[in-house]
C-alpha cells in the first residue's frame, strides 16, 4: 500500500445552526454554536486516514490556540503532521451556517492557509507518495507547483476544484482524477448540465468524477460517461464535509489498489454515513463502518 499526501487547508470551523437562512437585514436566533476542525485539506486527510490509508499533510496554521487544536486533531487520528508549519499568522477559519434541513453555507478567511511555498521537504514527502490530493483553499501557485512535481514523479494527482473559480485550466490539465460537484463542473466547463460538464472536463483531466449529492455521482473518461454511481438514500442532518469524505475514502481505497468502481462505492458509503452526523471532520466514518455499510 502506498502513501497519500494531502496538500491543503486547515481551518477552525465556527458552526452556527439555525432553522433557516436569514433574509437580508434580518436577525435570526440560532439553535446551537460549536467549533471543530475543518478545512478541505484537513477534512480529506482525516477521511483518508480513518478509511485506512497512510496519510501525511502539507499545510500551515497560526501560532494560536486554533492552530494547536488543528494539529492535535491530525495527530490524534494518525496523520503525519511533520510538514504542517506553524506561522506567525492567524489560523484560517470557516464560518459555517447549517439549516435544519442539513444544507450549509460557508465563508472562509484563509489566514495561514495563504502561505506561499513548496520546499524541498514537501517535495520529498510527495516523491514518496502514491497519491497527491489537493483542493483550491491554498494559493494556486503552490497547488500548481506541487501537481507538476507529482506528475514528474509518477504520483497520481487528485484535485477537488473547490472553492470553484475560473482560470484553473492548468490545474485541470494536471489532474489524474478531478472531483468537482455538479455546480463546480458546470462552472469550470461552461456546460449546462452535469453530464455535459463531465464529458467536456474529461477531455482534459484523465478521469472526472462529478458528485451529485443525493443523486450519486457520474464518471467520465476521454469524452465519454463510463460509469454512474448509485446514491445511498439517508436522512441527512449536516452535509458539511460530505464531499471531502467522498474524496478521502475514494483515495484510501485506490491507494490500497482497489479498482475505481469499488473505490467509488466505498466513497459513496462513507459520505452517506458522514451526512447523518453533525460536523465536518468529526462526522467522518472509520474503515470498519464503511465496510459494514458495503456488506
Amino acid at each position: 500500500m502506498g502513501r497519500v499526501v494531502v496538500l491543503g487547508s486547515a481551518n477552525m470551523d465556527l458552526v452556527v445552526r439555525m432553522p433557516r437562512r436569514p433574509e437580508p437585514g434580518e436577525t435570526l436566533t440560532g439553535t446551537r454554536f460549536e467549533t471543530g476542525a475543518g478545512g478541505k485539506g484537513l477534512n480529506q486527510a482525516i477521511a483518508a486516514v480513518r478509511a485506512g490509508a497512510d496519510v501525511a499533510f502539507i499545510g500551515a496554521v497560526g501560532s494560536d490556540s486554533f492552530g494547536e487544536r488543528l494539529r492535535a486533531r491530525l495527530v490524534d487520528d494518525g496523520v503525519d503532521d511533520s510538514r504542517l508549519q506553524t506561522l506567525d499568522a492567524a489560523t484560517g477559519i470557516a464560518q459555517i451556517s447549517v439549516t435544519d434541513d442539513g444544507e450549509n453555507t460557508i465563508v472562509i478567511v484563509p489566514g495561514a492557509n495563504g502561505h506561499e511555498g513548496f520546499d524541498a521537504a514537501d517535495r520529498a514527502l510527495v516523491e514518496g507518495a502514491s497519491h497527491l490530493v489537493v483542493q483550491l483553499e491554498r494559493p494556486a501557485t503552490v497547488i500548481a507547483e506541487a501537481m507538476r512535481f507529482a506528475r514528474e514523479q509518477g504520483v497520481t494527482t487528485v484535485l477537488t476544484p473547490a472553492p470553484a473559480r475560473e482560470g484553473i485550466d492548468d490545474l485541470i490539465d494536471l489532474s489524474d482524477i478531478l472531483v468537482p460537484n455538479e455546480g463546480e463542473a458546470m462552472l469550470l466547463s461552461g456546460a449546462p448540465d452535469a453530464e455535459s460538464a463531465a464529458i467536456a472536463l474529461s477531455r482534459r483531466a484523465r478521469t472526472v468524477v462529478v458528485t451529485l449529492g443525493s443523486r450519486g455521482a457520474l464518471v467520465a473518461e476521454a469524452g465519454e460517461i463510463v460509469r454512474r454511481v448509485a446514491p445511498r438514500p439517508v436522512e441527512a442532518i449536516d452535509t458539511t464535509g460530505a464531499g471531502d469524505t467522498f474524496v478521502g475514502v475514494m483515495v484510501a481505497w485506490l491507494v490500497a489498489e482497489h479498482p475505481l468502481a469499488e473505490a467509488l462505492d466505498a466513497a459513496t458509503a462513507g459520505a452517506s454515513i458522514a451526512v447523518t452526523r453533525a460536523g465536518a471532520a468529526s462526522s467522518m466514518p472509520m474503515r470498519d463502518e464503511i465496510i459494514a455499510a458495503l456488506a
Side-chain angles (χ1 to χ4, degrees), residues 240-291:
T240 308
D244 296 328
T245 303
F246 184 97
V247 172
V249 174
M250 178 191 73
V251 173
W253 250 250
L254 290 174
V255 79
E257 300 185 350
H258 292 280
L260 179 61
E262 292 181 11
L264 293 173
D265 288 341
T268 302
S272 73
I273 295 169
V275 299
T276 65
R277 303 169 177 172
S282 60
S283 73
M284 293 171 175
M286 304 300 290
R287 182 178 179 83
D288 59 351
E289 295 179 285
I290 299 167
I291 291 172

Side-chain angles (χ1 to χ4, degrees), residues 65-277:
S65 61
F66 283 172
E68 293 173 358
R69 286 177 60 186
L70 295 180
R71 185 182 295 277
R73 173 74 279 165
L74 289 165
V75 172
D76 288 349
D77 269 287
V79 176
D80 177 355
D81 72 327
S82 60
R83 294 306 302 155
L84 176 62
Q85 299 184 62
T86 299
L87 307 178
D88 185 16
T91 297
I93 66 98
Q95 190 277 312
I96 304 173
S97 300
V98 184
T99 56
D100 284 348
D101 62 3
E103 292 300 320
N104 66 74
T105 55
I106 303 174
V107 177
I108 293 170
V109 180
N113 293 309
H115 171 63
E116 299 271 0
F118 180 68
D119 62 22
D122 297 330
R123 288 185 179 86
L125 205 59
V126 172
E127 187 175 12
S130 169
H131 289 66
L132 171 69
V133 179
V134 295
Q135 324 77 32
L136 299 183
E137 290 180 349
R138 295 290 310 278
T141 52
V142 175
I143 298 165
E145 186 177 358
M147 293 181 76
R148 288 192 192 97
F149 179 76
R151 272 286 186 87
E152 291 168 1
Q153 304 304 313
V155 176
T156 299
T157 57
V158 182
L159 170 63
T160 302
R165 58 177 180 264
E166 297 176 331
I168 62 163
D169 289 350
D170 57 335
L171 301 183
I172 295 172
D173 292 340
L174 289 167
S175 301
D176 292 311
I177 306 174
L178 180 71
V179 193
N181 65 25
E182 185 173 12
E184 292 156 359
M186 290 189 292
L187 174 67
L188 294 174
S189 66
D193 57 72
E195 184 166 322
S196 300
I199 290 169
L201 291 170
S202 72
R203 295 189 177 105
R204 309 192 65 170
R206 293 179 180 173
T207 298
V208 177
V209 180
V210 179
T211 59
L212 304 173
S214 61
R215 293 180 287 122
L218 53 85
V219 184
E221 294 178 348
E224 295 183 4
I225 301 296
V226 297
R227 180 176 171 81
R228 297 180 188 275
V229 183
R232 287 176 168 261
V234 293
E235 190 69 34
I237 66 167
D238 187 352
T239 59
T240 308
D244 296 328
T245 303
F246 184 97
V247 172
V249 174
M250 178 191 73
V251 173
W253 250 250
L254 290 174
V255 79
E257 300 185 350
H258 292 280
L260 179 61
E262 292 181 11
L264 293 173
D265 288 341
T268 302
S272 73
I273 295 169
V275 299
T276 65
R277 303 169 177 172

